Amino acid sequence: MAHADLAGVGEVRSALREFLRYRWREEPAQVAELLLSELVTNALIHTGHGAVVTVSVEPTALRVEVRDFVPGLPLPYVPNADDGTHGRGLFLVQSLADAWGVGAHALGKVVWFELDGERP
């Protein structure tokens, strides 16, 4: 997905929704959609390049990774009340995910989150 194609974020959400339809419970799947869209949007806006999404479903956990191809880790950002909706992506991930993190790679980084739960 290219930087200019932010409309593709909805396509990624839809693909995740379809993938999780019979693999995961509805409520955590909806949280996963929200968090995925935040991470993909961040990758597209802040790196100016595409992103690769990987989803893993285990018996008691869901893991979503968004990889970009620009070196450097994201800086912590705490939004204030005057920011409107800007800058809340990683804050939402931190608040709603059971675990999350960032890993550096030779070409870029991966931002990931996990949600605990059980398959339906």
Side-chain angles (χ1 to χ4, degrees), residues 11 17 21 24 31 37 43 46 57 59 66 88 98 104 111 119:
E11 294 174 23
R17 183 180 316 118
R21 179 175 298 205
W24 208 252
V31 171
S37 64
H46 297 294
V57 178
V66 177
R88 288 179 165 64
D98 293 304
V111 182
R119 295 180 182 186

Side-chain angles (χ1 to χ4, degrees), residues 7-87:
V9 174
E11 294 174 23
V12 172
R13 280 182 71 132
S14 179
L16 179 65
R17 183 180 316 118
E18 187 61 31
F19 177 76
L20 294 177
R21 179 175 298 205
Y22 301 109
R23 292 178 177 92
W24 208 252
R25 296 192 185 278
E26 184 176 356
E27 184 180 335
Q30 291 172 348
V31 171
E33 280 185 58
L34 170 65
L35 299 183
L36 172 64
S37 64
E38 294 294 336
L39 293 184
V40 169
T41 299
N42 282 353
L44 297 178
I45 289 174
H46 297 294
T47 69
H49 293 79
V52 174
V53 175
T54 305
V55 179
S56 304
V57 178
E58 301 294 331
T60 60
L62 168 70
R63 182 180 175 101
V64 176
E65 299 179 350
V66 177
R67 182 175 182 175
D68 66 48
F69 302 97
V70 174
L73 301 178
L75 298 173
Y77 176 79
V78 178
N80 63 46
D82 296 335
D83 280 344
T85 59
H86 171 73

